Amino acid sequence: MRRTPHRRAVATGALVAVAAMLAVGAQAGTGTAATPRPGPAQAVPAPGALPAELSPSQRAELIRAAEAGTADAARQLKLGAQEKLVVKDVSKDADGTVHTRYERTYAGLPVLGGDLVVHKSARGALKGVTKAVTARLTVPSTTPKLRPAAAEAKAVQAARALGAERTAAAEAPRKVIWAADGTPVLAYETVVGGLQDDGTPSELHVITHAGTGAKLFQYQGIENGVGNSQYSGRVTIGTSGSAPNFKMTDTGRGSHRTNNLNHGTGGSGSLFTDADDVWGDGTPSNPQTAGVDAAYGAQETWDYYKNVHGRSGIRGDGVGAYSRVHYGNSYVNAFWDDSCFCMTYGDGRNNTHPLTSIDVAGHEMSHGVTSHTAGLEYARESGGLNEATSDIFGTAVEFYANNEKDPGDYLIGEKVDIYGNGEPLRYMDKPSKDGNSADYWSSRVGDLDVHYSSGVANHFFYLLAEGSGPKDIGGVHYDSPTYDNKPVPGIGRANAEKVWFKALSQYMSANTNYAGARTATLRAAADLFGEGSATYNTVANTWAAVNVGSRVPDGDSGGSVFESTDDVRIPDAGAMVTSPITVSRSGNAPGTLKVGVDIVHTYRGDLVIDLIAPDGTAYRLKNSDANDSAADVRTTYTVDASAKAAGGTWKLRVQDVYAQDTGYLNGWKLTF
């Protein structure tokens, strides 16, 4: 599907071009490329699993090749005759593995929630597919019963119910296939413009059933957030031009430019210019000062993604976005807007606290990166993951900048002082310290505002990077708890960043929830460090520490774990299905082989489950039981497999033997 342009708010730095390098600001302290603080001793990622840095021409060539092969890819994936693939993005690992992200159409209509990622080896062999939905797309008719005007009225009504002002359809309703809830239906997507109650632009996307008129889903395209107004001392930024007409345009970073809205709320504003290439004076009364912070945040974010993850610009195409500062009057927010490909910053309380700090800039631009990779929808658990991703990479950019005036920390927006009491906006070590955010997952997390449901992933990332318990980092004291009161050691911030970026760009999709994020990060960890490695197991245990999934048996690093996270649909009263795991281990299997099973099913009594050894021997794990009406199978079985060789392909075999109830295998693992 082609997503309607999104605006993502929170904190976005600008990208700055370099023609002339100059000093800016009135305080001392120069921002330089960061030297990451060493984390706990951990395995180094396998070089071949890291993303390769692609030039714009190399990326364009990969995209052209993918576009030329969409029909073959659709056949290989056994898509229906009316389904087509549209290339959204391509990334490549150093070992030649290519990850192609597709959106789908059905009968020419965009499929919302139908995105998928195909993973192929350097030789073109299929390594796996990550799908947002596993069901095959079939829709009885693409002729709607509901008129577009009725869908538009429903959407405007939904926007008004949220307190939006000046609501009106920003564009006519378009027909789509809504597949995110598992059963594809014909629907309308309507985008409603206006203002949110705090003055932030509104871009509410409302999905309406084209037959019944029922509202299926809604999300805010403008993603709100706040950052702290902060100055980074005397810094160098990329500019262009010559005296007396220097421009705040960074030609070395995709020609990112920084514009002055001069307290307006529309248009692109006017580009900052200067006679002597010395910008601002470090005070909010000088309009250039906020521009300097935005430009500096943009260049640090650009450099971070390019030098750490091999991504050149938000879209990976070498093209810079632009920044707008001085939005509105005393506007306490900042936002990313896909439709203008720009970051926008308010001036904060009393127009004296611009939301242009480094972490806010990194946060906002990271919304853009998310939009052009996984495209996490800004609602429910996926919205929390979207927000957390921006907090994670905003924090990463702050550490990367290594600026003595704003050292890296795990506090979000600490320099903006949005509350007027010196407290940060969010805390990653214990998110609940803000009074609203969730430390751990629960079934209610998806009902929270996305800035608060983000706490689960923020907490996970802090624990994964630094480990649990009390510690001092950069002069800040942290004390991070765990859900199960068991410690986790952390893998170091640099490794944690690599895991999250690879998971985001190659294994998450628009509707990924927290269980899916666990799956995505484990796949990323397997690529980077090896499946069953100590680092892989730490990722699994860290999710358990925030109540997502279970720990590796026998402690924090006990046993080698081999896991499949691929979804496999279980036919109702149908044939047996299997899921393979290839084990690379010498010797025989243990007498206490642990088989962890995670099946989502509406009536588990229907299920028969077997473990199949590489030589074909079957071990019965579970019999059917017509009286067992409970849902799901989430348990660990113990098998005496000591007579079998450990190495080879093991399979989990599942059959639903009774009619009326359905489900799927969410994943399983072997612990040796």
Side-chain angles (χ1 to χ4, degrees), residues 575-656:
M576 297 176 181
V577 295
T578 61
S579 174
I581 290 178
T582 299
V583 174
S584 54
R585 186 182 175 94
S586 60
N588 279 12
T592 56
L593 176 62
K594 305 294 184 182
V595 187
V597 178
D598 181 0
I599 294 176
V600 177
H601 200 276
T602 52
Y603 200 104
R604 69 186 183 202
D606 289 3
L607 301 177
V608 176
I609 306 173
D610 295 295
L611 174 68
I612 310 299
D615 67 355
T617 302
Y619 297 89
R620 177 59 50 90
L621 304 180
K622 178 188 177 302
N623 287 307
S624 61
D625 181 352
N627 295 317
D628 185 358
S629 61
D632 305 336
V633 178
R634 290 191 174 94
T635 190
T636 299
Y637 301 94
T638 301
V639 172
D640 181 359
S642 56
K644 305 298 177 184
T649 299
W650 296 73
K651 297 178 182 178
L652 191 73
R653 185 172 67 193
V654 184
Q655 184 177 21
D656 181 332

Side-chain angles (χ1 to χ4, degrees), residues 1-2 56-75 83-91 98-103 118 120 317:
M1 68 178 182
R2 181 192 66 80
S57 61
Q58 289 172 322
R59 181 176 179 275
E61 181 56 37
L62 282 174
I63 289 177
R64 280 194 295 270
E67 289 173 339
T70 53
D72 288 339
R75 283 192 293 271
E83 295 180 69
K84 307 294 183 187
L85 293 175
V86 179
V87 178
K88 180 180 179 182
D89 192 23
V90 180
S91 61
V98 174
H99 309 267
T100 306
R101 185 177 293 275
Y102 296 97
E103 294 175 339
V118 174
K120 288 189 174 182
D317 60 0

Side-chain angles (χ1 to χ4, degrees), residues 537-550:
N537 290 349
T538 297
V539 173
N541 290 340
T542 304
W543 277 117
V546 295
N547 197 31
V548 180
S550 57

Side-chain angles (χ1 to χ4, degrees), residues 120-464:
K120 288 189 174 182
S121 70
R123 296 186 176 182
L126 183 66
K127 296 178 69 174
V129 181
T130 301
K131 292 183 179 180
V133 292
T134 57
R136 190 167 185 172
L137 297 182
T138 54
V139 178
S141 172
T142 57
T143 302
K145 296 179 181 178
L146 189 72
R147 297 178 60 189
E152 181 177 324
K154 287 269 189 181
V156 170
Q157 181 183 13
R160 287 177 177 157
L162 295 177
E165 303 174 13
R166 300 205 318 255
T167 53
E171 50 191 74
R174 64 168 183 161
K175 285 197 301 182
V176 298
I177 304 299
W178 175 250
D181 289 333
T183 301
V185 297
L186 183 67
Y188 283 108
E189 179 187 31
T190 308
V191 182
V192 182
L195 296 176
Q196 298 180 49
D197 55 9
D198 68 348
T200 302
S202 180
E203 194 179 82
L204 188 70
H205 294 241
V206 181
I207 313 300
T208 311
H209 196 293
T212 66
K215 185 180 72 176
L216 300 173
F217 187 65
Q218 68 183 42
Y219 69 90
Q220 179 56 256
I222 294 286
E223 298 166 7
N224 297 317
V226 291
N228 288 327
S229 169
Q230 94 116 75
Y231 306 105
S232 299
R234 188 173 182 85
V235 297
T236 57
I237 61 172
T239 61
S240 64
S242 58
N245 189 29
F246 289 99
K247 301 174 183 178
M248 204 176 281
T249 300
D250 190 344
T251 56
R253 297 180 178 86
S255 290
H256 170 274
R257 62 193 189 278
T258 307
N259 291 0
N260 182 6
L261 281 173
N262 195 27
H263 303 296
T265 58
S268 59
S270 57
L271 179 66
F272 279 107
T273 60
D274 189 77
D276 62 1
D277 215 12
V278 177
W279 310 78
D281 63 5
T283 69
S285 60
N286 185 320
Q288 288 185 354
T289 299
V292 169
D293 281 316
Y296 176 64
Q299 74 179 29
E300 292 302 311
T301 304
W302 176 285
D303 290 351
Y304 167 77
Y305 277 106
K306 181 175 176 62
N307 296 332
V308 176
H309 301 299
R311 188 176 186 86
S312 183
I314 285 173
R315 292 187 298 236
D317 60 0
V319 176
Y322 75 97
S323 296
R324 307 185 303 174
V325 299
H326 303 306
Y327 175 89
N329 190 39
S330 295
Y331 176 67
V332 189
N333 217 328
F335 57 89
W336 163 262
D337 187 342
D338 257 6
S339 64
C340 67
F341 201 54
C342 69
M343 293 78 68
T344 303
Y345 303 92
D347 283 330
R349 292 183 298 109
N350 303 316
N351 287 328
T352 59
H353 293 72
L355 281 84
T356 49
S357 60
I358 299 172
D359 56 351
V360 171
H363 177 116
E364 293 305 338
M365 290 177 68
S366 294
H367 274 310
V369 172
T370 296
S371 176
H372 291 277
T373 52
L376 291 161
E377 294 288 4
Y378 206 61
R380 300 188 295 201
E381 290 187 20
S382 61
L385 286 165
N386 189 318
E387 267 299 306
T389 294
S390 282
D391 283 350
I392 287 166
F393 289 125
T395 294
V397 169
E398 188 178 65
F399 273 105
Y400 176 87
N402 195 26
N403 186 291
E404 66 178 31
K405 296 293 183 179
D406 184 15
D409 54 50
Y410 291 95
L411 310 174
I412 306 301
E414 72 281 358
K415 298 293 184 180
V416 174
D417 193 19
I418 189 172
Y419 302 121
N421 59 4
E423 293 296 319
L425 180 62
R426 289 186 285 278
Y427 304 80
M428 298 183 77
D429 66 317
K430 188 177 181 183
S432 62
K433 286 193 289 188
D434 67 10
N436 295 295
S437 293
D439 290 335
Y440 312 113
W441 182 87
S442 74
S443 60
R444 299 182 297 276
V445 158
D447 298 327
L448 298 177
D449 179 278
V450 294
H451 296 92
Y452 305 143
S453 61
S454 65
V456 180
N458 279 344
H459 192 192
F460 164 80
F461 181 82
Y462 173 86
L463 288 168
L464 187 65

